[in-house]
Amino acid sequence: MSAMLYEASNTLAATVPQPKNDAPTELTTKVNLVLGILAWAGTAAGVCGVLVTGAMMAISVKRGESSEHMSRLGMVLGGCVLVATAGPLVTFVFK
């Protein structure tokens, strides 16, 4: 039974087309430009998020209010980590 499954898988896998990795250079340069801008914007948004969260924490301490700013800061830092690791993760998966 296993020999028959092995032959069937070899026969079926032999007909699967293997596409080439040849994208037009005009397309790759435009896509790289857009991805670079998005990465820059994500980093800028992360920095702004950390600054705003820090300012809100400082104002709350000055007023004597207790708030859940640490959870907000954790969410902002988690987003920063996600933005920073998106490129290397996609590169690792698809190359």
Side-chain angles (χ1 to χ4, degrees):
M1 179 74 172
S2 64
M4 185 168 52
L5 288 174
Y6 177 75
E7 287 298 322
S9 65
N10 280 341
T11 303
L12 292 174
T15 59
V16 174
Q18 299 296 324
K20 296 186 183 201
N21 195 8
D22 294 332
T25 57
E26 298 88 17
L27 177 66
T28 56
T29 56
K30 289 179 183 179
V31 168
N32 286 336
L33 176 68
V34 170
L35 289 176
I37 291 171
L38 288 174
W40 181 87
T43 303
V47 169
C48 287
V50 170
L51 290 174
V52 168
T53 303
M56 290 177 70
M57 289 172 75
I59 291 170
S60 292
V61 168
K62 179 113 174 143
R63 290 184 182 172
E65 299 172 353
S66 63
S67 187
E68 296 182 6
H69 294 293
M70 291 308 285
S71 64
R72 253 188 229 157
L73 184 62
M75 289 174 47
V76 169
L77 292 177
C80 290
V81 168
L82 184 63
V83 167
T85 59
L89 283 174
V90 170
T91 303
F92 174 74
V93 170
F94 290 110
K95 286 208 179 190

